[in-house]
Amino acid sequence: MTSGNTSPSARGAGLDAAARLVGDRWSLRLIGALLDGERTFGELAGDVAGIAPTILAARLRSLQGAGLLTASPYELRPVRMRYALTAPGRRLAAAIATLAEWGAAREGTAQTVVHSRCGTPVVTRPWCPTCEEPVEETGRGSDELLWC
């Protein structure tokens, strides 16, 4: 593990790896559809408007092969599966939710996510697990963060 800021080349390598796994719009949308819990093939087809059944099947197999979701049978004849995110898939889902929030805000269609217990709008921000504190802005620019 390195200390200090992450180098641009290290971030680039990480982004390249992520893009290889989920770099197409269908994979991102499927993981987003699974944020609220497990879904069947038919439910996913309805949740992800415009996806062809062949593409849906291929993306589900690919995401399952990458270890981001599981498929468990809920009917044996014919075999029908229920899909759910794995722990790595749930971790990716948090990043996708943040990306979706950013995209909606840029388009002016932002929907505020609120904490179910208290109703306060949820804020996504970088967190340092070593220091156990949020990572703050550098002060050099409103969108610039100091990454540890």
Side-chain angles (χ1 to χ4, degrees):
M1 184 191 304
T2 62
S3 61
N5 290 339
T6 305
S7 72
S9 62
R11 278 193 304 271
L15 288 172
D16 287 346
R20 279 191 301 277
L21 289 171
V22 294
D24 64 275
R25 73 178 190 169
W26 299 118
S27 294
L28 292 175
R29 292 181 64 197
L30 285 169
I31 291 170
L34 290 165
L35 284 171
D36 293 329
E38 59 184 32
R39 299 275 190 281
T40 64
F41 186 94
E43 290 168 335
L44 287 168
D47 289 345
V48 181
I51 190 168
T54 54
I55 299 294
L56 175 56
R59 292 306 182 273
L60 290 171
R61 277 192 301 274
S62 173
L63 293 169
Q64 187 179 3
L68 299 175
L69 60 86
T70 60
S72 16
Y74 69 92
E75 202 171 287
L76 297 178
R77 294 205 176 176
V79 176
R80 296 179 190 254
M81 307 299 266
R82 190 174 315 280
Y83 300 90
L85 294 173
T86 61
R90 285 189 300 275
R91 186 159 182 243
L92 175 60
I96 290 173
T98 302
L99 183 61
E101 179 184 311
W102 175 82
R106 297 274 302 170
E107 294 293 317
T109 60
Q111 295 179 352
T112 304
V113 177
V114 296
H115 188 235
S116 61
R117 191 168 13 147
C118 68
T120 302
V122 175
V123 177
T124 305
R125 60 184 176 177
W127 177 265
C128 178
T130 302
C131 302
E132 295 189 1
E133 62 184 32
V135 178
E136 301 299 331
E137 293 179 11
T138 63
R140 294 185 293 227
S142 63
D143 291 335
E144 192 171 331
L145 294 173
L146 175 66
W147 295 90
C148 48

